[in-house]
Amino acid sequence: MLEKLNKKEMIMQKAESAFSQYGYEAASLESIAKACAITKPAIYYHFKDKASLYEAVLLKRLSALAEVILANTRSDDPEEALKAYIETFGNYMMGTPSFSAMFSREIANDAKAMSQSCIVSLSQTLQRLSDILKRGKEQGVFECENPFMIQMMIVTTLSADLTTKSLRKRVFEVIEKREPAIKPDIENLIDNLSQKIIKALTC
């Protein structure tokens, strides 16, 4: 049983790498099997098709994200809870680059390959943000704001940082002599993002 579990985890690990690099459509079970040094039918023993494998990989990450956010945002202080939410979300994205790449691809593609179970898991994260904002509003700490707006600010900022490193460097090389104060790397991104969002929401 342990050997089967290890093989399943290995398949998911290699699949995550393939999906993050090539996207859902371009990644093939053949290439994933080759990376695992197994046959394609061996993948079918654990997953009925590519969609099921993709769902398992995403769901594992999304469920872990929802759990760690819930654990880290228990403060009764809305500002502290929101700060923890943004920092936890940001650190999770930065710490799991393969998942971040998959997530960014899904956002760019309107989540067309994301299963309903993944949507349900993702909704738990947004619900936690909504609860924090609602509590802040009730306590007179935050102005009323649509949770989707705040979530988009977080996700798009993090995704842009992860996917535009090369572009920012190339642009900086062009403007460096004229604007030396502009740097391609954004220092303390997550902390700065947290401060700006909380400042914008604070009554």
Side-chain angles (χ1 to χ4, degrees):
M1 185 70 180
L2 182 60
E3 182 181 350
K4 290 182 180 179
L5 179 62
N6 287 340
K7 184 174 288 187
K8 183 175 182 179
E9 289 296 322
M10 179 184 66
I11 293 169
M12 290 177 65
Q13 184 181 50
K14 298 297 184 182
E16 181 173 318
S17 177
F19 288 134
S20 68
Q21 186 173 358
Y22 304 111
Y24 174 74
E25 293 296 338
S28 68
L29 291 182
E30 289 82 358
S31 64
I32 294 170
K34 185 176 180 180
C36 295
I38 60 175
T39 62
K40 185 177 174 181
I43 293 180
Y44 287 127
Y45 179 82
H46 299 283
F47 305 96
K48 66 178 183 179
D49 52 27
K50 185 169 75 168
S52 298
L53 175 55
Y54 186 73
E55 177 184 52
V57 171
L58 266 184
L59 192 57
K60 177 183 177 181
R61 292 296 190 185
L62 289 170
S63 298
L65 174 60
E67 287 176 11
V68 72
I69 282 180
L70 181 61
N72 291 351
T73 58
R74 297 189 185 279
S75 174
D76 292 330
D77 183 329
E79 283 193 35
E80 288 298 319
L82 181 56
K83 184 174 185 290
Y85 179 95
I86 297 167
E87 290 179 349
T88 301
F89 199 106
N91 289 327
Y92 190 88
M93 292 282 283
M94 297 296 186
T96 54
S98 292
F99 164 70
S100 298
M102 292 176 66
F103 194 54
S104 295
R105 285 178 182 274
E106 283 298 325
I107 292 170
N109 200 36
D110 200 22
K112 291 179 181 177
M114 189 178 284
S115 70
Q116 185 60 26
S117 61
C118 290
I119 297 295
V120 170
S121 184
L122 183 59
S123 71
Q124 294 173 353
T125 301
L126 184 68
Q127 183 63 59
R128 185 58 179 163
L129 174 60
S130 179
D131 292 343
I132 293 169
L133 296 176
K134 182 180 179 181
R135 188 165 71 248
K137 173 63 176 176
E138 291 171 349
Q139 294 181 16
V141 177
F142 294 149
E143 297 283 358
C144 186
E145 186 55 80
N146 188 328
F148 275 112
M149 173 64 76
I150 305 303
Q151 187 71 1
M152 284 191 292
M153 291 171 66
I154 298 168
V155 173
T156 54
T157 300
L158 294 169
S159 295
D161 180 70
L162 291 166
T163 59
T164 63
K165 292 183 184 297
S166 177
L167 174 60
R168 295 199 309 269
K169 183 178 179 181
R170 291 171 62 190
V171 171
F172 175 69
E173 289 171 353
V174 174
I175 67 171
E176 182 177 9
K177 292 180 181 179
R178 299 192 304 273
E179 301 288 345
I182 298 177
K183 301 297 181 184
D185 295 319
I186 303 171
E187 295 182 1
N188 304 316
L189 173 67
I190 297 171
D191 185 53
N192 285 334
L193 177 63
S194 176
Q195 291 181 32
K196 285 176 172 57
I197 289 177
I198 290 174
K199 183 178 180 179
L201 286 171
T202 305
C203 297

